[in-house]
Amino acid sequence: MRDAEGRALTAAKEKKAAEIRAGEVEVHAADFRDEVRHLVSARLPALALNLISSHHPVPGLLDQNLAGSDDGLLLDSVLEHVSVSLLKERRRVDAAARAALRGTNQDAQALSYRLQTEIDELQHEFSAPQSLTSRLLQADHLNEQLLRLLQKSAVAYGAWPGHVRKDTYVTEIIGGASSRLRGFERIQIISRLRSSDIGVVGRAAEPIAMACAELMANALEHSRDDLMVEVSVLQTGNGNVCITFDDSGTGMTAEATVRGTRLLSGNQQEVMLTELGDPPSQGFAAVGRLVADYGFAVSINHQSAYGGVRAVLSIPPNLLTSMNEEAKPPSAMAPLPASAPQVRKRSVPAQPAASEPSRSPAAAAAAPELPQRNRRTVAVSATEDVAPRYVPQDPRRAQDTWNDFQEGLASGRATTDSEETP
């Protein structure tokens, strides 16, 4: 009888324990289902956004007690595998899109170069009416702007600049880059180079010109239409040539500066199209790819003297060369080199002759007459300069020369126009 009661009591305890364990399992299963629902509805969508921008955080587990447990590690491994799969697929799709855009831009760029050649040949037709020549100049400038946009897009998507130059003067590169922009008349180029024969090697001339054009375009865009953009070039003591771009805009936010510095560093070769914004901002991405490929440097983490942004493009000595100014003279439109600083010499006062010790008449008569050397003192003017001063050209004389050329050209065209007029 007692054995039967004991077995019944033991069975009741085991049943109760089983019910408790079943309840715990049910609670654990319910909690795990809630974590899975949270994973699918909140964490995975947030992960997709986080892969685009780190500003979108990924939520954690609902129950932090699961962190480090088998269930928590299992859910985190799901996030990791999904992240790897999404990145691979994004890179594949992005590579296909960049390849398509790169091919399209390169074809359009080639056609734009052909159009530029045709317009350039038509500009040299002096028999054309003056009004047509003026329209051709406008068309040429519009084509230059279109070519810059196509070139920027192609380089940002992995293409090369598409144009090869010979060794080119630094000042000509800056001037040519400004001519590709709308509003180029607002750009003031100042040369602080002490020598006018400094050039850039041919393989880096077009990439540096393209980078200068993009930095100037950014400065023009962020400055009012009535404000100038100052571009200055100088050679530093370590041999680098630095080109600075100062705008008068409102500056950049800390976030924009960090993002721009990352793009311009050249360390991130593969830039996702989704990271360029909508519409995509391709300028910094294109310059960053050129920095990585050709070895110059660009920084934007400076403030200009006018409250805007100062961008600095630094060209290392291995990309510089010395040009033969007699074989290839610089362009007449290039800014003149800076004159050497005027160093004034101190005047040297004449030193009075040292008094000779008095000698007795007998000693003077006995001593032989020796040749004497007279000390000469060179008088140096206090205003004498070490280097000759630079004498600027007379603007009136240059204007008269240009007017004579325009009058001769107009008289020649007038004869042609009268022959063509019915």
Side-chain angles (χ1 to χ4, degrees):
M1 186 69 178
R2 291 179 180 179
D3 294 340
E5 291 178 355
R7 288 194 297 270
L9 183 60
T10 302
K13 290 180 178 180
E14 291 178 354
K15 180 180 180 181
K16 186 176 180 180
E19 290 176 353
I20 293 174
R21 288 195 300 269
E24 291 177 353
V25 170
E26 183 64 28
V27 171
H28 179 74
D31 292 341
F32 188 76
R33 286 194 297 270
D34 292 339
E35 291 290 352
V36 172
R37 293 192 189 97
H38 179 61
L39 175 68
V40 174
S41 62
R43 301 183 71 188
L44 289 178
L47 175 65
L49 295 176
N50 181 263
L51 294 176
I52 298 175
S53 175
S54 59
H55 296 288
H56 299 278
V58 180
L61 297 169
L62 290 176
D63 186 4
Q64 295 300 324
N65 295 327
L66 292 178
S69 64
D70 293 339
D71 293 339
L73 294 176
L74 177 61
L75 295 174
D76 290 339
S77 66
V78 172
L79 282 176
E80 183 178 355
H81 287 298
V82 171
S83 175
V84 172
S85 300
L86 285 176
L87 285 177
K88 287 183 179 179
E89 187 64 17
R90 280 187 58 200
R91 290 194 181 98
R92 187 187 67 81
V93 174
D94 195 86
R98 283 188 286 109
L101 292 172
R102 182 170 59 246
T104 303
N105 285 322
Q106 286 180 322
D107 292 341
Q109 187 178 355
L111 292 175
S112 184
Y113 277 125
R114 291 178 57 185
L115 178 60
Q116 186 181 35
T117 302
E118 295 293 334
I119 294 176
D120 185 67
E121 292 178 356
L122 288 175
Q123 289 177 11
H124 289 80
E125 293 288 339
F126 288 96
S127 59
Q130 186 174 4
S131 59
L132 178 59
T133 304
S134 177
R135 299 293 293 274
L136 286 174
L137 290 174
Q138 296 177 10
D140 187 23
H141 190 220
L142 289 175
N143 187 62
E144 283 283 352
Q145 298 177 53
L146 174 62
L147 185 59
R148 181 185 72 85
L149 296 177
L150 294 172
Q151 189 181 39
K152 174 180 64 175
S153 298
V155 171
Y157 301 144
W160 70 295
H163 183 60
V164 179
R165 293 190 182 196
K166 299 180 180 179
D167 296 349
T168 310
Y169 292 99
V170 174
T171 52
E172 289 187 0
I173 287 179
I174 303 173
S178 65
S179 66
R180 305 178 182 183
L181 307 173
R182 179 177 176 269
F184 65 93
E185 64 277 358
R186 294 167 47 206
I187 298 176
Q188 181 183 10
I189 302 176
I190 302 173
S191 175
R192 294 186 172 91
L193 296 174
R194 300 296 168 78
S195 176
S196 59
D197 64 345
I198 301 177
V200 177
V201 295
R203 64 183 178 87
E206 180 62 22
I208 291 177
M210 179 181 170
C212 289
E214 295 306 321
L215 294 175
M216 283 188 281
N218 188 69
L220 289 173
E221 182 180 354
H222 291 86
S223 300
R224 287 205 323 261
D225 292 342
D226 58 339
L227 297 176
M228 300 293 292
V229 171
E230 185 176 295
V231 180
S232 60
V233 54
L234 57 88
Q235 189 169 20
T236 61
N238 58 4
N240 291 354
V241 169
C242 292
I243 308 171
T244 60
F245 308 84
D246 291 315
D247 64 53
S248 305
T250 58
M252 299 175 65
T253 63
E255 179 183 355
T257 302
V258 171
R259 179 178 178 274
T261 301
R262 178 175 61 85
L263 291 175
L264 293 172
S265 65
N267 297 328
Q268 187 176 0
Q269 285 282 344
E270 298 298 332
V271 179
M272 297 287 184
L273 294 179
T274 52
E275 298 177 1
L276 301 180
D278 185 15
S281 300
Q282 305 165 345
F284 282 176
V287 175
R289 186 173 289 275
L290 294 175
V291 166
D293 291 342
Y294 294 93
F296 57 94
V298 177
S299 62
I300 56 172
N301 53 351
H302 309 280
Q303 184 179 14
S304 72
Y306 313 109
V309 176
R310 164 171 287 187
V312 181
L313 189 150
S314 180
I315 309 174
N318 64 301
L319 298 181
L320 299 174
T321 184
S322 179
M323 306 285 293
N324 187 350
E325 295 184 288
E326 295 182 358
K328 183 183 178 182
S331 172
M333 302 300 294
L336 296 174
S339 57
Q342 299 178 359
V343 181
R344 303 181 183 278
K345 285 186 176 180
R346 295 181 180 179
S347 59
V348 181
Q351 298 292 336
S355 59
E356 296 181 357
S358 60
R359 294 184 296 177
S360 63
E369 188 70 23
L370 298 177
Q372 302 292 326
R373 177 179 296 176
N374 297 326
R375 184 182 301 275
R376 293 183 299 174
T377 302
V378 180
V380 181
S381 175
T383 59
E384 183 179 357
D385 300 331
V386 174
R389 296 182 180 179
Y390 168 73
V391 180
Q393 297 181 356
D394 186 6
R396 294 185 178 275
R397 182 177 179 182
Q399 182 180 6
D400 294 340
T401 303
W402 180 250
N403 289 338
D404 293 341
F405 174 75
Q406 291 286 349
E407 290 176 359
L409 186 61
S411 62
R413 285 173 174 167
T415 305
T416 305
D417 294 345
S418 61
E419 295 176 356
E420 295 178 355
T421 304

